[in-house]
Amino acid sequence: MVTSSIVAKPLSHAEAPPADPVESRLEQLIEREFAFVWRLLRRVGVTEDDADGAAEQVFIAVARRLPDIRLGNERAFLIGTALHVAARSRRTSESAAVVGPLASSLADSSEARHACALLDALLQQLPFELRVVFVLFEIEQLSTPEIAQVVGVPLDAVNARLSRARDEFSELTKHLEASAPAGAADE
């Protein structure tokens, strides 16, 4: 009788088969970039209630395409996908109620929450194309060449959009300061 020399036994941790490199890469990417993607989605107009689902959509798209994404280009792909998801989210929610007046954010007891709500409300007033460039440069600290690559527009267009976005954001903040109740800045 011939017996097999291979006996079925449970694998020890040291003998476990190697992890799928794509799955491992995805897990590392999620761990490293989830907060960035969530923050980017919020700043370009996705509501707080929808941000988790939108971030999940971004990473599902990344999971599908990860074998095709060159090492080192993951963040650019994430940004492009996040902007696509945010634009789609914005189109589907344009018929929904617009963000309430800035005064409604005053109900927050946390100063940081109030500042974030105020920033979100100001950013919402910028046209989407300007908001994207402004957020990527001023908040996420990407360079203008990186933004041009991610957004898919010439560097001159990025610079022009950034200049317009800064001008409009400055006007929005001046208007906000002028309309603030007397003494509000002292609180």
Side-chain angles (χ1 to χ4, degrees):
M1 172 175 177
V2 179
T3 60
S4 171
S5 62
I6 301 175
V7 178
K9 63 179 180 177
L11 294 173
S12 69
H13 183 65
E15 298 171 341
D20 177 14
V22 174
E23 186 175 318
S24 177
R25 184 177 170 204
L26 179 62
E27 288 172 1
Q28 291 173 3
L29 194 58
I30 292 169
E31 186 176 314
R32 187 177 67 240
E33 301 289 358
F34 186 86
F36 166 75
V37 168
W38 191 92
R39 195 173 56 244
L40 176 61
L41 289 164
R42 286 287 294 124
R43 297 300 172 244
V44 296
V46 175
T47 66
E48 189 170 356
D49 291 341
D50 294 337
D52 286 337
E56 185 176 316
Q57 289 175 25
V58 170
F59 284 100
I60 288 170
V62 169
R64 288 185 190 131
R65 299 280 314 278
L66 195 56
D68 302 326
I69 302 170
R70 285 191 2 224
L71 287 173
N73 287 349
E74 296 93 341
R75 193 168 235 212
F77 188 86
L78 283 169
I79 292 168
T81 304
L83 295 177
H84 176 75
V85 168
R88 189 173 60 230
S89 173
R90 187 175 53 94
R91 283 191 302 269
T92 59
S93 66
E94 281 178 345
S95 59
V98 178
V99 174
L102 294 176
S104 68
S105 66
L106 294 175
D108 281 336
S109 59
S110 164
E111 192 172 310
R113 278 185 136 318
H114 172 67
C116 285
L118 193 57
L119 175 62
D120 288 343
L122 288 170
L123 291 172
Q124 283 290 332
Q125 295 178 55
L126 291 175
F128 186 73
E129 294 77 20
L130 300 183
R131 185 181 336 146
V132 166
V133 172
F134 186 82
V135 167
L136 291 175
F137 186 84
E138 297 292 348
I139 298 174
E140 298 304 335
Q141 311 250 318
L142 270 68
S143 68
T144 52
E146 289 173 313
I147 296 168
Q149 179 185 7
V150 167
V151 177
V153 298
L155 184 57
D156 290 344
V158 170
N159 289 327
R161 288 179 186 181
L162 182 57
S163 178
R164 285 182 38 219
R166 286 175 169 165
D167 290 346
E168 287 192 32
F169 191 82
S170 178
E171 286 300 314
L172 290 168
T173 57
K174 286 177 188 174
H175 178 70
L176 179 66
E177 289 169 356
S179 65
D186 300 330
E187 293 175 7

